[in-house]
Amino acid sequence: MKIKTYFLELQYRFFLFFLHFSFLFLLIYSYKEEITFFIQCCQKEEFPYFISTHLTEIFSVYIRLSFFLSLYGSLPFLILQTGLFFNPALYQYESKFVQNYFFFSLLIYFIGTTLSYKIFIPYCWEFFSSFQTSSAENYVGIHFETKFNSYCNFFLKSLYFLQFSFQVIGFLFFFLPKFQPSFYKISRKLIYFTFLGIA
């Protein structure tokens, strides 16, 4: 009987997550042009436009952009619902630890998002766009114009991968001090292999 109750609660929390995601998706899609203007932070001064080479590309990019930004914005809500589901089964000190980690992870989430948008993505844009050349100065001129699909893929991948890296660093920073030094001696090979895999 308790298992049925747990499944009902999971369904309820998943439904809340689905509502949150759907509302965010519709909101982002409603303001898709404004959000596109917002994410073209790197190139809007040099090329205040995108190019599209496929008939359905603009529509499909808007859908994909809305989906992944909605998922990105819904992740803290999903983690919160997961924590609230498991919280009654934890001891008081475990519950306190999970709450502290949640707020720490949320802080890293906002820091990672800010650094991605303000520093990492503009720096990558400046570095890679510097390889275009002028025919007046070189043997061949290479002029760069941004394709809408390519830029959105670059933006979303950078956002997700950098956020993942920040969360891994935050996880290690929060959890590694909890282990005894003997644990690191015993599990040294496993730790090296894990770090190699993450890298």
Side-chain angles (χ1 to χ4, degrees), residues 131-143:
F131 288 95
Q132 59 181 327
T133 58
S134 171
S135 58
E137 302 173 356
N138 298 276
Y139 292 108
V140 62
I142 303 176
H143 181 69

CSV table of all heavy atoms in Angstrom, one decimal, residues 131-143:
chain,number,residue,atom,x,y,z
A,131,PHE,N,39.7,34.4,-36.7
A,131,PHE,CA,40.4,33.7,-37.7
A,131,PHE,C,39.9,34.1,-39.1
A,131,PHE,O,40.4,33.7,-40.1
A,131,PHE,CB,40.2,32.2,-37.6
A,131,PHE,CG,41.0,31.6,-36.4
A,131,PHE,CD1,40.4,31.4,-35.2
A,131,PHE,CD2,42.3,31.3,-36.6
A,131,PHE,CE1,41.1,30.9,-34.1
A,131,PHE,CE2,43.1,30.8,-35.6
A,131,PHE,CZ,42.5,30.6,-34.3
A,132,GLN,N,38.8,34.9,-39.2
A,132,GLN,CA,38.4,35.4,-40.5
A,132,GLN,C,39.4,36.4,-41.1
A,132,GLN,O,40.0,37.2,-40.3
A,132,GLN,CB,37.0,36.0,-40.5
A,132,GLN,CG,36.8,37.2,-39.5
A,132,GLN,CD,35.4,37.7,-39.5
A,132,GLN,OE1,34.7,37.7,-40.5
A,132,GLN,NE2,35.0,38.2,-38.4
A,133,THR,N,39.6,36.4,-42.4
A,133,THR,CA,40.7,37.2,-43.0
A,133,THR,C,40.1,38.1,-44.1
A,133,THR,O,39.0,37.8,-44.6
A,133,THR,CB,41.8,36.3,-43.6
A,133,THR,OG1,41.2,35.4,-44.5
A,133,THR,CG2,42.5,35.5,-42.5
A,134,SER,N,40.8,39.1,-44.4
A,134,SER,CA,40.5,40.1,-45.5
A,134,SER,C,41.3,39.8,-46.7
A,134,SER,O,42.6,39.6,-46.5
A,134,SER,CB,40.6,41.5,-45.0
A,134,SER,OG,40.4,42.4,-46.0
A,135,SER,N,40.7,39.9,-47.9
A,135,SER,CA,41.5,39.7,-49.1
A,135,SER,C,42.5,40.8,-49.3
A,135,SER,O,43.5,40.6,-50.1
A,135,SER,CB,40.6,39.5,-50.3
A,135,SER,OG,39.8,40.7,-50.4
A,136,ALA,N,42.3,41.9,-48.7
A,136,ALA,CA,43.2,43.1,-48.9
A,136,ALA,C,44.5,42.8,-48.1
A,136,ALA,O,45.6,43.4,-48.4
A,136,ALA,CB,42.6,44.4,-48.4
A,137,GLU,N,44.5,42.0,-47.0
A,137,GLU,CA,45.6,41.8,-46.2
A,137,GLU,C,46.2,40.4,-46.4
A,137,GLU,O,47.4,40.2,-46.0
A,137,GLU,CB,45.2,42.0,-44.7
A,137,GLU,CG,44.7,43.4,-44.4
A,137,GLU,CD,44.1,43.5,-43.0
A,137,GLU,OE1,44.1,42.4,-42.3
A,137,GLU,OE2,43.7,44.6,-42.6
A,138,ASN,N,45.5,39.4,-46.9
A,138,ASN,CA,45.9,38.1,-47.1
A,138,ASN,C,45.7,37.6,-48.5
A,138,ASN,O,45.1,38.3,-49.3
A,138,ASN,CB,45.2,37.2,-46.1
A,138,ASN,CG,45.5,37.5,-44.6
A,138,ASN,OD1,46.5,37.2,-44.1
A,138,ASN,ND2,44.6,38.3,-44.1
A,139,TYR,N,46.2,36.4,-48.8
A,139,TYR,CA,46.0,35.8,-50.1
A,139,TYR,C,44.5,35.5,-50.4
A,139,TYR,O,44.1,35.6,-51.6
A,139,TYR,CB,46.8,34.5,-50.3
A,139,TYR,CG,48.3,34.8,-50.2
A,139,TYR,CD1,49.1,34.4,-49.1
A,139,TYR,CD2,48.9,35.4,-51.3
A,139,TYR,CE1,50.4,34.6,-49.1
A,139,TYR,CE2,50.3,35.6,-51.3
A,139,TYR,CZ,51.1,35.2,-50.2
A,139,TYR,OH,52.4,35.5,-50.1
A,140,VAL,N,43.8,35.2,-49.4
A,140,VAL,CA,42.4,34.9,-49.6
A,140,VAL,C,41.6,35.5,-48.5
A,140,VAL,O,42.0,35.5,-47.4
A,140,VAL,CB,42.2,33.3,-49.7
A,140,VAL,CG1,42.6,32.7,-48.4
A,140,VAL,CG2,40.7,32.9,-50.0
A,141,GLY,N,40.4,36.0,-48.8
A,141,GLY,CA,39.5,36.5,-47.8
A,141,GLY,C,38.5,35.5,-47.3
A,141,GLY,O,37.9,34.9,-48.2
A,142,ILE,N,38.3,35.4,-46.0
A,142,ILE,CA,37.4,34.5,-45.4
A,142,ILE,C,36.4,35.3,-44.6
A,142,ILE,O,36.8,35.9,-43.5
A,142,ILE,CB,38.0,33.4,-44.6
A,142,ILE,CG1,39.0,32.6,-45.4
A,142,ILE,CG2,37.0,32.5,-44.0
A,142,ILE,CD1,39.8,31.6,-44.6
A,143,HIS,N,35.2,35.5,-45.0
A,143,HIS,CA,34.2,36.3,-44.3
A,143,HIS,C,33.3,35.4,-43.6
A,143,HIS,O,32.7,34.5,-44.1
A,143,HIS,CB,33.5,37.2,-45.3
A,143,HIS,CG,32.5,38.1,-44.7
A,143,HIS,ND1,32.8,39.2,-43.8
A,143,HIS,CD2,31.1,38.1,-44.7
A,143,HIS,CE1,31.7,39.8,-43.4
A,143,HIS,NE2,30.7,39.1,-43.9
